[in-house]
Amino acid sequence: MKPELIISDISLPDGNFLEEIKKHPELQYIKIMVISGNTDVKNIKEAFNLGAEDFIKKPFDYEELSIRIKKIFKNHNEIISINKEILYDKTNKNLIIDNNIIPLTKKESQLLEILLQNRGKVVSNSALINFLWEDNVSLNTLNVLVKRLRKKLGCKDIIKTKRDLGYIIE
């Protein structure tokens, strides 16, 4: 099971963990909160530029930490417009098409969320496989999942294939 949130100091003895996470595609979709005693603007800016969701200064109150964690996950309970006709309900993991609710499987919803989080960017096949499955699966397994999701979306042009690279929602 992959974590949903990492809370860490930005400066660790072995280096900057945010830079290390960028080297691992299967980790790039995990939310990150930085806690640091180094509170100069340069350090805060670096944390956000490297993908942190939030930054909290040491010392901090545990209640504040709890509030900030809830805020990170609250932002993920929403309805997202895929296009003019199709909505995605992140909370209930359903598509809404012409007021019809179409349930998605766990893998279908995870795939859709990754692509929507990276709208306009190609998400590589290897990053998708590493994120969606614990075990290494074949590219064919990913292709079948994309085909099932496209069928539920009712439009083949929402998820576009970038040959030998990955998939994109523009």
Side-chain angles (χ1 to χ4, degrees):
M1 179 175 212
K2 293 182 176 81
E4 294 182 43
L5 174 68
I6 295 173
I7 302 173
S8 180
D9 197 316
I10 193 168
S11 302
L12 298 174
D14 294 339
N16 185 325
F17 85 97
L18 288 170
E19 291 175 352
E20 286 300 312
I21 285 177
K22 286 183 135 187
K23 296 176 185 175
H24 299 277
E26 69 277 11
L27 300 178
Q28 69 187 24
Y29 304 105
I30 298 171
K31 305 297 173 212
I32 299 167
M33 176 186 286
V34 172
I35 297 175
S36 182
N38 185 354
T39 59
D40 63 347
V41 174
K42 180 182 175 197
N43 196 43
I44 295 168
K45 184 178 179 180
E46 177 186 15
F48 282 112
N49 285 341
L50 290 172
E53 296 286 320
D54 199 358
F55 188 103
I56 189 168
K57 299 174 183 179
K58 289 181 187 177
F60 59 89
D61 184 275
Y62 288 103
E63 187 174 359
E64 178 185 0
L65 178 64
S66 176
I67 291 166
R68 288 174 179 265
I69 290 170
K70 288 175 185 171
K71 174 73 172 148
I72 287 171
F73 288 104
K74 182 181 176 196
N75 290 340
H76 297 276
N77 296 332
E78 56 192 56
I79 304 246
I80 299 169
S81 176
I82 296 174
N83 65 19
K84 292 178 184 177
E85 297 87 30
I86 303 172
L87 301 173
Y88 174 60
D89 178 351
K90 278 183 80 170
T91 304
N92 298 306
K93 310 299 185 201
N94 294 321
L95 293 172
I96 304 167
I97 304 173
D98 297 325
N99 293 322
N100 294 314
I101 295 175
I102 301 163
L104 298 179
T105 65
K106 181 179 178 181
K107 293 289 185 216
E108 290 166 348
S109 62
Q110 288 174 330
L111 172 61
L112 183 59
E113 287 179 25
I114 292 168
L115 294 172
L116 288 171
Q117 287 170 5
N118 292 280
R119 194 182 291 237
K121 299 178 201 167
V122 175
V123 182
S124 72
N125 292 326
S126 62
L128 290 169
I129 288 170
N130 287 332
F131 182 78
L132 293 167
W133 290 279
E134 295 291 326
D135 301 325
N136 195 9
V137 300
S138 71
L139 181 58
N140 188 51
T141 303
L142 174 62
N143 294 339
V144 169
L145 179 63
V146 171
K147 183 177 179 178
R148 283 193 347 237
L149 182 55
R150 282 178 172 153
K151 184 176 181 181
K152 288 185 177 183
L153 287 164
C155 302
K156 293 189 189 242
D157 64 340
I158 291 175
I159 301 174
K160 296 187 176 160
T161 304
K162 295 296 181 180
R163 189 175 169 110
D164 297 327
L165 296 175
Y167 294 95
I168 185 172
I169 292 179
E170 295 176 328

